[in-house]
Amino acid sequence: MIFDILTLFPEMLRSPLEGSILGKARKEGLIEVNLINIRDYAEGKHRVTDDYPYGGGKGMIMKPEPIIKGVKLIKSVDPAAWVILMTPQGMPFKQEVAKRLAQLSHLVLICGRYEGVDERVRDFVNEEISIGDYVLTGGELAALVLIDVVSRLIPGVLGAEGAPDDDSFSQGLLEYPQYTRPKEYEGRRVPEVLLSGNHQAIERWRRKEALRRTWQRRPDLLAKAGLSEEDMEILAELKRSSKAD
Ligand code: ADE
């Protein structure tokens, strides 16, 4: 997977992409990340990338030409490159969106800054994505989030022990509680079933706890989770016993 990031602040992205799992995935050639400075495509002695908004108003708007020039250049080499504008006006970024994007071979992420980008840039993008209902100072952190989430879905990136299928959201539910040693910490014991070696019982317990957690914290997810009849029974039982408490 190739990620090309069009940004005015490549330095802001460099170090998070070097460390840990993403850095390793880059070294192993599982992902390629190119930081492209939009300023390199700006014209004139001063390579201006922003300007005042027509019609007045506060703030600066990113000029269309340097961004579109960058996009066109990338597309001329790889017409399949999929162009995404990071903006709070985009579609919400969800695990299912990440799964779809992980199937593609080449993503181009445009990081807007200041008060936004010239509207005409939108004619050159395939989709617009927001990472949440808040406004960042620019699209750079949003691009990092997207790269992180998509990369860990690419086979090999998490290594043999990685298990993206069990993650929160990947099955439409939040993940069940996890424990490691010690068995007891300041009187808090690990649930007995996890020590039992009974894999069926452990699976049942995990499903139930994932359902409980989702119901308690994100009941909005349950409607879309594709629950089985057994899941529905477990949920009904959870609700009954919480009423009895
Ligand atoms: N740029 C500024 N805020 C953003 C957000 N919430 N998501 C994506 N890009 C952004």
Side-chain angles (χ1 to χ4, degrees), residues 21-161:
I21 292 175
L22 293 185
K24 189 160 161 278
R26 288 175 79 187
K27 281 201 194 91
E28 289 172 355
L30 294 166
I31 60 170
E32 174 184 328
V33 185
N34 303 308
L35 300 175
I36 303 165
N37 196 332
I38 293 168
R39 195 169 299 284
D40 292 346
Y41 299 112
E43 303 281 338
K45 194 167 127 220
H46 298 293
R47 296 190 173 272
V48 174
T49 56
D50 59 349
D51 210 335
Y52 295 98
Y54 274 124
K58 63 179 167 57
M60 300 292 273
I61 306 299
M62 285 174 73
K63 290 166 71 60
E65 309 96 310
I67 298 175
I68 294 170
K69 199 167 163 188
V71 169
K72 281 186 173 170
L73 200 69
I74 294 166
K75 295 275 266 191
S76 72
V77 178
D78 179 9
W82 186 256
V83 184
I84 301 173
L85 177 64
M86 306 310 300
T87 162
Q89 299 180 16
M91 293 298 288
F93 188 50
K94 301 266 173 75
Q95 194 68 28
E96 70 212 39
V97 175
K99 280 188 192 168
R100 170 170 58 79
L101 297 178
Q103 305 301 313
L104 303 176
S105 59
H106 190 170
L107 301 180
V108 181
L109 308 178
I110 302 172
C111 305
R113 276 266 148 180
Y114 313 119
E115 305 309 306
V117 300
D118 184 286
E119 187 65 18
R120 289 163 289 190
V121 168
R122 292 199 149 84
D123 293 341
F124 295 82
V125 312
N126 296 104
E127 67 180 302
E128 302 179 25
I129 289 181
S130 162
I131 62 159
D133 290 343
Y134 38 77
V135 182
L136 300 161
T137 54
E140 283 76 10
L141 288 174
L144 280 176
V145 167
L146 187 148
I147 293 170
D148 192 285
V149 178
V150 171
S151 294
R152 64 191 287 293
L153 297 176
I154 293 168
V157 168
L158 286 187
E161 70 275 28

Side-chain angles (χ1 to χ4, degrees), residues 92-96 131 133 168-175 209-225 227 235 239:
F93 188 50
K94 301 266 173 75
Q95 194 68 28
E96 70 212 39
I131 62 159
D133 290 343
S168 289
F169 304 113
S170 79
Q171 311 266 339
L173 297 179
L174 301 184
E175 200 194 10
E209 294 309 312
L211 285 162
R212 186 201 306 277
R213 199 148 262 203
T214 311
W215 172 56
Q216 286 172 338
R217 299 182 183 196
R218 293 291 307 275
D220 57 300
L221 296 177
L222 290 173
K224 282 194 287 175
L227 301 182
L235 258 183
K239 290 179 188 178

